[in-house]
C-alpha cells in the first residue's frame, strides 16, 4: 500500500489539487497546526491554575477567552479535520475508488477551515464552547462573539459537505465486486459518523443563526427579556453536540480497528459486532442529549428519560472495548508505536466511559456537573481516546505517506510521557471535581485539596507539553531525513496479509 | 467472522446491560426520594446576578453574599436570575440548581449541624464568575 510516495512537489501544486491524498495532506497539516496552537493555550491555562492568585495570565477576561478558544480549536480545528485527513487518505482506497466522489467539493470543504480558524482566533471570544445565552446575547463582547458564530457556521457547512462526500464515496463509489459487508471498519466508522453529522448539525446551524439575530436585537428566541427561553438553546445545542461527541470518537475507534488486528497479527475478533456497535451508537446517540441539562430545572420524568437514553448507549461503546481485547487475545502482538497508542487509548476509553456512567446517574451528576469532574471526563475521551487513536494512526500512516520511517524510540517516549501526563491531568481532575472545584474559573480560593490537585494536573500538562515537543521534532526530522522504508511492510509484521490495500491512486 | 464462537461477547454484553440497569434503577430511586420536598420546608428566595448571590427569607429579611440558616430545619430554595444563567451551588450539601432568567427553579436541603460552607456559582457567567462566591452559615438553633 502506497499512499503518496513520490518526488516532492511545489506547495502550490498540493494546495490547488483536488486529489484525495493531497486534500488529506492539507487536512493533516492544518489539523496538527491547530493541535499545537490549542495545546499551547492549555499549557497557559494549567500554568495559571498552578497556584491561587493571578500567575501568568493578565486578567479573567483573557483567561475566559483562552479556554473558549482552546476548546473550540481542539474539537473543531484539530479532531474533526484530523479525522477528515485519515478519511481522505484511506476511504477511497478502502472502497477501491480513484478518488473521493466529489473531488472539488472535497477541496472546498477543506478550504473553508482556514478562514473559520482565522475568525475564531482573531476574534478570541469568551463565551465558552457552548456560547450559552443569554450571556452570549447580552453580555459577551463583540465582535469576538460574532466572529466565533460565523466561524462555527462555516465549520458546520464544511463538515456537512465532507459528510456527504464520505457517504457517497462509500455507498455509491465502492468497487462493484465489493459488498458493503466487506468494507473495512475504518470506512464503516466514517459512514456512521457522517450520517450522524447530517442529522445532527442542521439543528445547531439553526441555533447559531437564532443566536446571531438575537445578538443583533432583531429576535428574542433565547432572550428572556424579549420573552425567549435560554433553555431552548441548550436543547438545540445538545441535540447536535451529544451526537457530535460520537462523531468525534467513532473515527478514532475506526483507526484503532486498523491498528489493533495488524499489530496483533490476527484478524479482527468480530467484524459484525464492530459494524453493529457503530450503527447502534449513531442511532441511540440521539436519545441522550439532555443529560447535559439535569441542573437546568427539568422535571423528574424528563431527567429519567434522558438518563435511560444515556445508559442505553453504553453497551455499544463497551462492545468495541471487548472486540479490541478479544482481537489481542492470543495474538502475536508487536508493541510498535502505533500499537502502544491504540492500547493506551483503549484503557483510557474504558476509564472515560466508567466516569461517564457516574455523570449519567442523576443524583450523582449534581455533585459532578460543571465541576472539574466533567472536564476530566470528556478529556479522557478527546485526549485519552481520540487524540491517542489519531496520533497512533498518524505514526501508522507515516511511512506510507512519506516513504520514510519515524524514529521509533522517540515515538515510544512520546507515548509514555503523554500517557503518564494524561493520567495525571485528567484522573486528578475527576477528584478535583469531587472536591467541588467549578470549571471555567480564572482563580480559586486557597483550599489545600484544590491546590494539591491543581498542581498535580499542571505538572501532568507540562509532561504532555514535553512529549508533544518530542513528537514535533520526530515528525519534522523524520519526514525529511528518516530512513527510507519498504512500504510493503514498514513495521516488519511479516506478510502481505496485514496490508490488504493494494490500490494506489495516481494523481489525475 | 463466523469461525469462532461468540458466547463470551454475549455474556459480556449481558453483564454491561445488567450493570447499566442497576445504575439506572438506583439513580431513579434515590433521585425520587431526594426530590421530595418536606411540607414544612421554609422558603428562601435566591437571586443570582453578575456576580453575587442575594437571599430573601420568608420573614422578609434579606442577605447578600451570606446566608444564615438553622441546623435541623428544611429549606426550599426558589432560584432566579436577573441577567444570565448562573448555577447555585453548596457543594458540601450537594445543592446544585441553575439560576435561569425567566424561570424559578427549586431545590431543597436540610443542614444537619452547625458550620460554615462555601456557596459558589457553577455555571459560567462572565468576567467574575470565578469569584461569585458566598458563605452558608448554619447556626445551632439553641444558641
Ligand atoms: C460511555 C459513554 C458516555 C457516557 C455515559 C457519557 C456521559 C456524559 C454525561 C452524563 C455528561 C454530562 C456531565 C455534566 O455536564 O454534568 C457528559 C459530558 C460530556 N461528555 Fe460524555 N459520556 C460518554 C461518552 C462520551 C464520549 C465518547 C465523548 C466524546 C468524545 C464525550 C464527551 C463529553 C463532553 C465533551 C462532555 C461535556 C461537555 C461540556 O459540558 O463542555 N462523552 N458525558
Ligand atoms: Cu453528552
Ligand atoms: Cu457563574
Amino acid at each position: 500500500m502506497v499512499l503518496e510516495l513520490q518526488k516532492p512537489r511545489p506547495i502550490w501544486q498540493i494546495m490547488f489539487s483536488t486529489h484525495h491524498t493531497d486534500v488529506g495532506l492539507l487536512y493533516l497539516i492544518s489539523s496538527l497546526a491547530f493541535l499545537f496552537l490549542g495545546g499551547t493555550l492549555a499549557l497557559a491555562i494549567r500554568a495559571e491554575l498552578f497556584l491561587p492568585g493571578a500567575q501568568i495570565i493578565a486578567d479573567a477576561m483573557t483567561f475566559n477567552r483562552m479556554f473558549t478558544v482552546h476548546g473550540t480549536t481542539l474539537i473543531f480545528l484539530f479532531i474533526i479535520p484530523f479525522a477528515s485527513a485519515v478519511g481522505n487518505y484511506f476511504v477511497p482506497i478502502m472502497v477501491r475508488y480513484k478518488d473521493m466522489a466529489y473531488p472539488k467539493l472535497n477541496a472546498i470543504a477543506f478550504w473553508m477551515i482556514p478562514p473559520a480558524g482565522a475568525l475564531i482566533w482573531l476574534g478570541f471570544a469568551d463565551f465558552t464552547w457552548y456560547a450559552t445565552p443569554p450571556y452570549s446575547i447580552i453580555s459577551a463582547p463583540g465582535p469576538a462573539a460574532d466572529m466565533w458564530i460565523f466561524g462555527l457556521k462555516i465549520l458546520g457547512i464544511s463538515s456537512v459537505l465532507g459528510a456527504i462526500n464520505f457517504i457517497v464515496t462509500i455507498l455509491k463509489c465502492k468497487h462493484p465486486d465489493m459488498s458493503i459487508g466487506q468494507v473495512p471498519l475504518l470506512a464503516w466508522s466514517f459512514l456512521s459518523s457522517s450520517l450522524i453529522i447530517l442529522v445532527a448539525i442542521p439543528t445547531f446551524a439553526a441555533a447559531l443563526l437564532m443566536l446571531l439575530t438575537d445578538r443583533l436585537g432583531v429576535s428574542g428566541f433565547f432572550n428572556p427579556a424579549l420573552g425567549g427561553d435560554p433553555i431552548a438553546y441548550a436543547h438545540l445545542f445538545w441535540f447536535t453536540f451529544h451526537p457530535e461527541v460520537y462523531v468525534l470518537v467513532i473515527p478514532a475507534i475506526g483507526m484503532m480497528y486498523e491498528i489493533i488486528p495488524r499489530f496483533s497479527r490476527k484478524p479482527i475478533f468480530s467484524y459484525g459486532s464492530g459494524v453493529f456497535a457503530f450503527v447502534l451508537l449513531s442511532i441511540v446517540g440521539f436519545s441522550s442529549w439532555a443529560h447535559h441539562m439535569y441542573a437546568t430545572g427539568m422535571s423528574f420524568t424528563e431527567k429519567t428519560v434522558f438518563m435511560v437514553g444515556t445508559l442505553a448507549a453504553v453497551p455499544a461503546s463497551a462492545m468495541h472495548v471487548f472486540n479490541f481485547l478479544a482481537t489481542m487475545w492470543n495474538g502475536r502482538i508487536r508493541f510498535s508505536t502505533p500499537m502502544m497508542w491504540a492500547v493506551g487509548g483503549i484503557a483510557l476509553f474504558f476509564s472515560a466511559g466508567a466516569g461517564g456512567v457516574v455523570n449519567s446517574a442523576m443524583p450523582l451528576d449534581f455533585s459532578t456537573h460543571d465541576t472539574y469532574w466533567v472536564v476530566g471526563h470528556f478529556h479522557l475521551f478527546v485526549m485519552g481516546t481520540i487524540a491517542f487513536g489519531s496520533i497512533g494512526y498518524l505514526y501508522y500512516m507515516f511511512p506510507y505517506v512519506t516513504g520514510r520511517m519515524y524514529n521509533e524510540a522517540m515515538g515510544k517516549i512520546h507515548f509514555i510521557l503523554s500517557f503518564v501526563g494524561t493520567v495525571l491531568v485528567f484522573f486528578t481532575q475527576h477528584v478535583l471535581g469531587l472536591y467541588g472545584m467549578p470549571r471555567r474559573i480564572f482563580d480559586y480560593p486557597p483550599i489545600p485539596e484544590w491546590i494539591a490537585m491543581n498542581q498535580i494536573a499542571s505538572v501532568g500538562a507540562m509532561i504532555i507539553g514535553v512529549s508533544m515537543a518530542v513528537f514535533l521534532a520526530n515528525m519534522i526530522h523524520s519526514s525529511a531525513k528518516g530512513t527510507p522504508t519498504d512500504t510493503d511492510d514498514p513495521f516488519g509484521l511479516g506478510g502481505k496479509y496485514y496490508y490488504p490495500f493494494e490500490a494506489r491512486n495516481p494523481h489525475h | 467472522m463466523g469461525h469462532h464462537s461468540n458466547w463470551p461477547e454475549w455474556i459480556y454484553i449481558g453483564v454491561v446491560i445488567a450493570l447499566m440497569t442497576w445504575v439506572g434503577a438506583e439513580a431513579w430511586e434515590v433521585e425520587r426520594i431526594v426530590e421530595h420536598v418536606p411540607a414544612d420546608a421554609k422558603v428562601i428566595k435566591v437571586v443570582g446576578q453578575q456576580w453575587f448571590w442575594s437571599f430573601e427569607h420568608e420573614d422578609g429579611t434579606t442577605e447578600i453574599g451570606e446566608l444564615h440558616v438553622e441546623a435541623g430545619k428544611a429549606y426550599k430554595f426558589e432560584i432566579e436570575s436577573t441577567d444570565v444563567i448562573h448555577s447555585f451551588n453548596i457543594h458540601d450539601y450537594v445543592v446544585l440548581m441553575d439560576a435561569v432568567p425567566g424561570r424559578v427553579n427549586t431545590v431543597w436541603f436540610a443542614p444537619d449541624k452547625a458550620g460554615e460552607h462555601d456557596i459558589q456559582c457553577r455555571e459560567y457567567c462572565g468576567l467574575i464568575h470565578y469569584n461569585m462566591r458566598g458563605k452558608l452559615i448554619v447556626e445551632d438553633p439553641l444558641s
Side-chain angles (χ1 to χ4, degrees), chain A residues 238 241-243 245-246 288-292 310 377:
Chain A
W238 288 117
F241 281 100
H242 181 76
V245 306
Y246 297 123
S288 53
W289 76 85
H291 62 212
H292 297 272
T310 308
H377 159 73

Side-chain angles (χ1 to χ4, degrees), chain A residues 161-505:
Chain A
L161 297 181
I164 292 172
N165 223 338
F166 281 125
I167 293 171
V168 178
T169 308
I170 296 167
L171 292 182
K172 291 286 169 204
C173 302
K174 73 176 158 49
H175 196 278
D177 290 350
M178 198 180 204
S179 80
I180 189 76
Q182 291 167 325
V183 169
L185 284 172
L186 181 70
W188 266 104
S189 76
F190 278 90
L191 183 59
S192 323
S193 65
S194 300
L195 288 168
I196 303 180
I197 287 176
L198 285 196
V199 181
I201 293 277
T203 305
F204 181 58
L208 269 180
L209 275 186
M210 291 152 90
L211 204 59
L212 187 71
T213 54
D214 276 11
R215 274 183 67 80
L216 295 172
V218 295
S219 64
F221 296 109
F222 310 128
N223 187 350
L226 297 175
D229 187 351
I231 301 302
Y233 177 85
H235 279 292
L236 298 175
F237 182 91
W238 288 117
F239 177 82
T240 295
F241 281 100
H242 181 76
E244 180 86 2
V245 306
Y246 297 123
V247 171
L248 307 178
V249 87
I250 285 176
I253 301 281
M255 296 176 210
M256 292 176 182
Y257 273 124
E258 284 291 298
I259 295 172
I260 303 279
R262 302 256 144 77
F263 288 85
S264 305
R265 290 182 271 188
K266 261 180 73 192
I268 191 82
F269 170 75
S270 173
Y271 172 88
S273 131
V275 170
F276 181 76
F278 281 146
V279 174
L280 185 65
L281 205 54
S282 40
I283 297 167
V284 189
F286 280 93
S287 65
S288 53
W289 76 85
H291 62 212
H292 297 272
M293 300 165 57
Y294 288 146
T296 54
M298 287 197 301
S299 73
F300 179 61
T301 313
E302 285 171 290
K303 280 183 290 201
T304 305
V305 167
F306 287 105
M307 176 183 70
V308 172
T310 308
L311 295 174
V314 175
S317 306
M319 281 167 78
H320 294 301
V321 176
F322 184 89
N323 217 346
F324 290 140
L325 297 183
T327 303
M328 289 166 63
W329 190 261
N330 276 336
R332 289 188 296 131
I333 300 177
R334 166 158 302 187
F335 278 104
S336 307
T337 303
M339 186 64 171
M340 295 180 91
W341 284 94
V343 173
I346 297 168
L348 296 170
F349 181 56
F350 180 83
S351 329
V357 172
V358 173
N359 296 334
S360 320
M362 2 175 209
L364 298 178
D365 186 59
F366 288 92
S367 288
T368 60
H369 177 64
D370 271 335
T371 66
Y372 261 93
W373 172 288
V374 173
V375 181
H377 159 73
F378 71 77
H379 277 90
L380 284 185
F381 284 110
V382 292
M383 172 76 193
T385 312
I386 301 166
F388 272 49
S390 302
I391 290 173
Y393 203 79
L394 182 58
Y395 280 111
Y396 172 67
M397 64 194 270
F398 189 89
Y400 301 115
V401 174
T402 64
R404 296 173 184 277
M405 202 59 189
Y406 57 83
N407 182 308
E408 184 71 28
M410 283 167 89
K412 287 192 166 128
I413 293 174
H414 177 204
F415 168 75
I416 292 167
L417 292 179
S418 274
F419 188 81
V420 171
T422 302
V423 168
L424 286 180
V425 182
F426 303 116
F427 281 43
T428 311
Q429 288 185 343
H430 280 77
V431 182
L432 189 53
L434 295 180
Y435 280 119
M437 177 158 163
R439 59 196 289 204
R440 302 179 169 135
I441 58 176
F442 164 64
D443 193 9
Y444 53 95
I447 299 169
E449 292 86 357
W450 289 21
I451 298 177
M453 296 294 142
N454 271 299
Q455 294 189 338
I456 297 173
S458 294
V459 170
M462 298 308 145
I463 296 176
I464 298 177
V466 172
S467 83
M468 289 297 169
V470 175
F471 172 50
L472 189 61
N474 195 357
M475 289 295 113
I476 292 176
H477 182 263
S478 304
S479 49
K481 300 222 165 69
T483 341
T485 180
D486 152 29
T487 43
D488 284 335
D489 188 11
F491 295 98
L493 298 175
K496 290 226 173 261
Y497 174 69
Y498 303 108
Y499 303 100
F501 312 112
E502 298 286 339
R504 166 182 186 168
N505 287 343

Side-chain angles (χ1 to χ4, degrees), chain B residues 94-106:
Chain B
V94 200
V95 169
L96 178 76
M97 189 50 70
D98 288 355
V100 183
R103 294 189 178 212
V104 180
N105 281 339
T106 58

